Amino acid sequence: MVNIVVRDNNVEQALRALKKKMQREGTFREMKARKFYEKPSEKRARQKAEAVRRARKLQRKKMQREGLA
């Protein structure tokens, strides 16, 4: 559950904070994904692509930390 504190009746600032938290948690991405049915084959392909992307990003960060990039 997401809690946002509104200070000094500043609703705009609270909304920005809420949107940022939801973005970080992946709520918007999940809502977009649930909007339409995703075939199991498409879901597997998407998950595999995401895993490849994560692995490459991790490898890039590791290389950068070691000073090879």
Side-chain angles (χ1 to χ4, degrees), residues 37-49:
Y37 177 74
E38 185 177 24
K39 290 175 24 179
S41 60
E42 292 173 345
K43 186 176 182 178
R44 279 192 305 271
R46 179 182 50 80
Q47 287 176 338
K48 186 175 181 180

Side-chain angles (χ1 to χ4, degrees), residues 4-14:
I4 301 294
V5 178
V6 180
R7 295 189 178 117
D8 300 326
N9 287 336
N10 195 345
V11 178
E12 289 81 20
Q13 185 179 12

Side-chain angles (χ1 to χ4, degrees), residues 21-33:
K21 273 190 176 182
M22 290 175 73
Q23 186 76 32
R24 257 188 264 129
E25 292 177 359
T27 308
F28 290 123
R29 190 181 315 124
E30 185 178 341
M31 287 187 330
K32 186 177 177 183

